[in-house]
């Protein structure tokens, strides 16, 4: 996959505003602060196309990025951010559920988990839910620059057991090593 063009199209909170041009979509989901927006920038080799912040809860809308005028990458707001109010939590739930509800143009979902930790309960809930909706689902373990090779191998075994129905890739958006492998993984 060679990315020659990428642009931000829009931020959306309501299903009426989702694109309806029939183009395929790859959705990026995961806990708040796990590195979804950073991964999108790394994939697209754009430093600030998707907004990144060290404060969790940066992405509050569904953000659509058009790639090669051919398909969308969708950056979703993260879950598991303790400081959200009840109404913000409900609005997250509504937004994400209405997105995944019967959206035929979703080609694949990528669930991001933090490579350093055992998966959170909320990661497992999300994994099971997306699987139950029958979307193709793969896992990227983020921030792998923070782990040694032997720690990666160890955690990989844990993740393979937990997420046995998916392919798993360890990646660092900070280092960008193996970006070609990332692109092949996401766009296969
Ligand atoms: N060391 C390291 N830090 C990373 C990596 N990817 C992201 N980060 C950092 O993690 C923080 C969160 O990154 P974001 O990309 O904003 O995370 P997000 O999942 O989009 O977060 P929300 O929008 O809040 O859901 C930022 O401080 C990033 O710089 C990585 O591969 N390595
Ligand atoms: Mg984000």
């Amino acid at each position: 996959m060679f990315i020659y063009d990428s642009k931000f199209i829009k931020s959306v909170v309501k299903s009426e505003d989702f694109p309806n041009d029939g183009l395929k979509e790859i959705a990026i989901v995961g806990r708040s602060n796990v590195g979804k927006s950073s991964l999108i920038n790394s994939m697209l080799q754009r430093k600030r196309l998707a907004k990144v912040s060290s404060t969790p809860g940066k992405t509050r809308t569904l953000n659509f990025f058009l790639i090669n005028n051919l398909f969308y990458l969708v950056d979703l707001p993260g879950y598991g951010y303790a400081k959200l109010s009840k109404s913000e939590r409900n609005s997250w739930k509504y937004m994400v559920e209405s997105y995944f509800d019967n959206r035929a143009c979703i080609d694949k979902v990528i669930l991001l988990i933090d490579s350093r930790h055992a998966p959170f309960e909320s990661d497992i809930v999300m994994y099971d839910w997306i699987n139950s909706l029958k979307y193709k689902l793969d896992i990227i373990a983020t921030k792998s620059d923070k782990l040694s090779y032997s720690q990666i191998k160890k955690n990989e075994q844990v993740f393979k057991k937990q997420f046995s129905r998916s392919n798993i890739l360890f990646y660092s958006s900070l280092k960008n090593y193996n970006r070609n492998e990332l692109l092949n993984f996401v766009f296969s």
Side-chain angles (χ1 to χ4, degrees):
M1 176 80 196
F2 175 65
I3 296 178
Y4 57 86
D5 188 57
S6 53
K7 43 187 173 277
F8 169 71
I9 300 297
K10 59 177 168 178
S11 291
V12 176
V13 292
K14 294 196 297 283
S15 50
E16 305 90 275
D17 298 326
F18 294 156
N20 61 0
D21 47 23
L23 295 181
K24 291 285 181 197
E25 294 174 1
I26 295 177
I28 311 290
V29 298
R31 281 177 71 82
S32 208
N33 215 41
V34 73
K36 298 174 294 297
S37 301
S38 302
L39 184 86
I40 288 177
N41 289 334
S42 173
M43 262 192 272
L44 305 180
Q45 291 186 294
R46 301 281 297 270
K47 281 205 162 57
R48 275 175 285 272
L49 192 64
K51 291 197 180 77
V52 167
S53 167
S54 55
T55 318
K58 179 70 182 172
T59 309
R60 297 283 179 99
T61 51
L62 285 105
N63 299 319
F64 289 82
F65 300 91
L66 182 62
I67 315 302
N68 294 355
N69 295 310
L70 198 63
F71 63 93
Y72 292 103
L73 273 178
V74 188
D75 188 9
L76 277 98
Y79 52 83
Y81 175 41
K83 285 191 183 147
L84 288 188
S85 67
K86 197 170 175 200
S87 75
E88 285 170 318
R89 226 176 282 263
N90 283 341
S91 97
W92 177 89
K93 196 166 181 281
Y94 178 76
M95 238 187 314
V96 172
E97 284 182 354
S98 56
Y99 175 69
F100 282 113
D101 180 29
N102 214 357
R103 191 150 174 87
C105 58
I106 296 179
D107 203 29
K108 187 184 204 176
V109 181
I110 306 278
L111 172 65
L112 270 53
I113 56 171
D114 192 317
S115 64
R116 296 167 295 176
H117 311 294
F120 289 84
E121 182 63 31
S122 51
D123 294 326
I124 295 167
V125 168
M126 186 54 118
Y127 185 80
D128 290 343
W129 180 56
I130 303 280
N131 257 321
S132 75
L133 299 174
K134 310 284 181 217
Y135 294 115
K136 186 166 189 287
L137 175 58
D138 283 331
I139 303 269
I140 292 181
T142 62
K143 310 191 186 186
S144 66
D145 53 282
K146 300 204 179 204
L147 291 181
S148 67
Y149 181 75
S150 65
Q151 287 170 315
I152 289 179
K153 289 291 146 198
K154 194 167 147 235
N155 291 359
E156 192 176 27
Q157 291 315 312
V158 176
F159 298 158
K160 274 188 177 162
K161 221 174 189 174
Q162 184 72 55
F163 304 117
S164 57
R165 300 170 65 168
S166 296
N167 300 310
I168 301 172
L169 178 78
F170 279 69
Y171 190 70
S172 164
S173 304
L174 186 75
K175 302 277 185 199
N176 287 313
Y177 297 151
N178 306 328
R179 185 175 162 270
N180 278 337
E181 198 187 346
L182 170 73
L183 295 180
N184 288 336
F185 184 86
V186 172
F187 301 116
S188 64

Coordinates of all heavy atoms in Angstrom, one line a residue, residues 63-91:
N63 N -13.5 11.3 13.5 CA -12.7 12.1 12.5 C -12.4 11.2 11.3 O -11.9 10.2 11.4 CB -11.5 12.6 13.1 CG -11.8 13.5 14.3 OD1 -12.7 14.3 14.3 ND2 -11.0 13.4 15.4
F64 N -12.9 11.8 10.2 CA -12.7 11.0 8.9 C -11.5 11.6 8.1 O -11.5 12.8 7.8 CB -14.0 11.1 8.1 CG -15.1 10.3 8.7 CD1 -15.9 10.8 9.7 CD2 -15.4 9.0 8.2 CE1 -16.9 10.0 10.3 CE2 -16.4 8.2 8.8 CZ -17.2 8.8 9.8
F65 N -10.6 10.7 7.7 CA -9.5 11.1 6.9 C -9.6 10.3 5.6 O -9.7 9.0 5.6 CB -8.1 10.7 7.6 CG -8.0 11.4 8.9 CD1 -8.4 10.9 10.1 CD2 -7.4 12.7 9.0 CE1 -8.3 11.5 11.3 CE2 -7.3 13.4 10.2 CZ -7.7 12.8 11.4
L66 N -9.5 11.0 4.5 CA -9.6 10.3 3.2 C -8.2 10.0 2.6 O -7.4 10.9 2.6 CB -10.4 11.3 2.2 CG -10.6 10.7 0.8 CD1 -11.5 9.4 0.8 CD2 -11.3 11.8 -0.1
I67 N -8.0 8.7 2.3 CA -6.7 8.3 1.9 C -6.7 7.9 0.4 O -7.6 7.1 0.0 CB -6.3 7.0 2.7 CG1 -6.6 7.2 4.2 CG2 -4.8 6.6 2.4 CD1 -5.9 8.4 4.8
N68 N -5.8 8.5 -0.4 CA -5.7 8.2 -1.8 C -7.0 8.4 -2.6 O -7.3 7.7 -3.6 CB -5.2 6.8 -2.1 CG -3.7 6.6 -1.6 OD1 -3.1 7.6 -1.2 ND2 -3.2 5.4 -1.7
N69 N -7.9 9.2 -2.0 CA -9.3 9.4 -2.6 C -10.0 8.1 -2.8 O -10.9 8.0 -3.6 CB -9.2 10.1 -4.0 CG -8.7 11.5 -3.8 OD1 -9.2 12.3 -2.9 ND2 -7.7 11.9 -4.5
L70 N -9.7 7.1 -1.9 CA -10.2 5.8 -2.2 C -10.9 5.2 -0.9 O -11.9 4.4 -1.1 CB -9.0 4.9 -2.5 CG -9.2 3.6 -3.2 CD1 -9.9 3.8 -4.5 CD2 -7.9 2.8 -3.3
F71 N -10.5 5.5 0.2 CA -11.1 5.0 1.5 C -10.8 5.9 2.6 O -9.9 6.8 2.6 CB -10.6 3.6 1.8 CG -9.2 3.5 2.1 CD1 -8.7 3.6 3.4 CD2 -8.2 3.3 1.0 CE1 -7.4 3.5 3.6 CE2 -6.9 3.3 1.3 CZ -6.4 3.4 2.6
Y72 N -11.6 5.7 3.7 CA -11.4 6.5 4.9 C -10.7 5.8 6.0 O -10.9 4.5 6.2 CB -12.8 6.9 5.5 CG -13.5 7.9 4.6 CD1 -14.6 7.4 3.8 CD2 -13.2 9.2 4.6 CE1 -15.3 8.3 3.0 CE2 -13.9 10.1 3.8 CZ -15.0 9.6 3.0 OH -15.7 10.5 2.2
L73 N -9.9 6.5 6.8 CA -9.4 6.0 8.1 C -10.3 6.8 9.1 O -10.5 8.0 8.9 CB -8.0 6.4 8.4 CG -6.9 5.5 7.9 CD1 -5.5 6.1 8.2 CD2 -7.0 4.1 8.5
V74 N -10.8 6.2 10.1 CA -11.7 6.8 11.0 C -11.1 6.8 12.4 O -10.9 5.7 13.0 CB -13.1 6.2 11.0 CG1 -14.1 7.0 11.8 CG2 -13.6 6.0 9.6
D75 N -10.8 7.9 12.9 CA -10.2 8.1 14.3 C -11.4 8.3 15.3 O -12.1 9.3 15.2 CB -9.3 9.3 14.3 CG -8.5 9.5 15.5 OD1 -8.5 8.6 16.4 OD2 -7.8 10.6 15.7
L76 N -11.5 7.3 16.1 CA -12.7 7.3 17.1 C -12.3 7.9 18.4 O -11.1 7.7 18.8 CB -13.3 5.9 17.3 CG -14.2 5.6 16.2 CD1 -13.6 4.7 15.1 CD2 -15.5 4.9 16.7
P77 N -13.2 8.5 19.1 CA -12.9 9.0 20.5 C -12.6 7.8 21.4 O -13.2 6.7 21.2 CB -14.1 9.7 20.9 CG -15.2 9.2 20.1 CD -14.6 8.8 18.8
G78 N -11.7 7.9 22.3 CA -11.2 6.8 23.2 C -12.2 6.5 24.3 O -13.0 7.4 24.7
Y79 N -12.2 5.3 24.8 CA -13.0 5.0 26.0 C -12.1 4.8 27.2 O -10.9 4.9 27.1 CB -13.8 3.7 25.8 CG -12.9 2.5 25.3 CD1 -12.2 1.7 26.2 CD2 -12.8 2.2 24.0 CE1 -11.4 0.7 25.8 CE2 -12.0 1.2 23.5 CZ -11.3 0.4 24.4 OH -10.5 -0.6 24.0
G80 N -12.7 4.7 28.4 CA -12.0 4.4 29.6 C -11.3 5.6 30.3 O -10.5 5.4 31.1
Y81 N -11.7 6.8 29.9 CA -11.2 8.0 30.5 C -12.0 8.4 31.7 O -13.1 8.8 31.6 CB -11.2 9.1 29.4 CG -10.7 10.5 29.9 CD1 -9.6 10.5 30.8 CD2 -11.3 11.6 29.5 CE1 -9.2 11.8 31.3 CE2 -10.9 12.9 30.0 CZ -9.8 12.9 30.9 OH -9.4 14.1 31.3
A82 N -11.4 8.2 32.9 CA -12.1 8.3 34.2 C -12.8 9.7 34.4 O -13.8 9.8 35.0 CB -11.2 8.0 35.3
K83 N -12.2 10.7 33.8 CA -12.7 12.1 34.2 C -13.9 12.5 33.4 O -14.3 13.7 33.6 CB -11.5 13.1 34.0 CG -10.5 13.0 35.2 CD -9.6 14.1 35.2 CE -8.5 13.9 36.3 NZ -7.2 14.4 36.0
L84 N -14.4 11.7 32.5 CA -15.6 12.1 31.7 C -16.8 12.2 32.6 O -17.0 11.3 33.5 CB -15.8 11.2 30.6 CG -14.8 11.2 29.4 CD1 -15.4 10.4 28.3 CD2 -14.6 12.6 28.9
S85 N -17.7 13.2 32.4 CA -18.9 13.2 33.1 C -19.9 12.1 32.6 O -19.6 11.6 31.5 CB -19.6 14.6 33.0 OG -20.0 14.7 31.6
K86 N -21.0 11.9 33.3 CA -21.9 10.9 32.9 C -22.5 11.3 31.5 O -22.6 10.4 30.6 CB -23.0 10.8 33.9 CG -23.8 9.5 33.7 CD -24.7 9.2 34.9 CE -25.6 8.0 34.5 NZ -26.8 7.9 35.3
S87 N -22.8 12.5 31.3 CA -23.4 12.9 30.0 C -22.3 12.8 28.9 O -22.7 12.4 27.7 CB -24.0 14.3 30.1 OG -23.0 15.3 30.0
E88 N -21.0 13.1 29.2 CA -20.0 12.9 28.1 C -19.9 11.4 27.8 O -19.7 11.0 26.7 CB -18.7 13.4 28.6 CG -18.6 14.9 28.6 CD -17.4 15.5 29.3 OE1 -17.0 15.0 30.4 OE2 -16.8 16.4 28.7
R89 N -19.9 10.6 28.8 CA -19.8 9.1 28.7 C -21.0 8.6 27.8 O -20.8 7.8 26.9 CB -19.9 8.4 30.0 CG -18.8 7.4 30.2 CD -18.9 6.8 31.6 NE -18.3 7.8 32.5 CZ -17.0 7.7 33.0 NH1 -16.3 6.6 32.6 NH2 -16.5 8.6 33.8
N90 N -22.2 9.1 28.1 CA -23.4 8.7 27.3 C -23.2 9.1 25.9 O -23.6 8.4 24.9 CB -24.7 9.3 27.9 CG -25.1 8.5 29.1 OD1 -24.6 7.4 29.3 ND2 -25.9 9.1 30.0
S91 N -22.7 10.3 25.7 CA -22.6 10.8 24.3 C -21.5 10.0 23.5 O -21.7 9.7 22.3 CB -22.3 12.3 24.2 OG -21.0 12.6 24.1

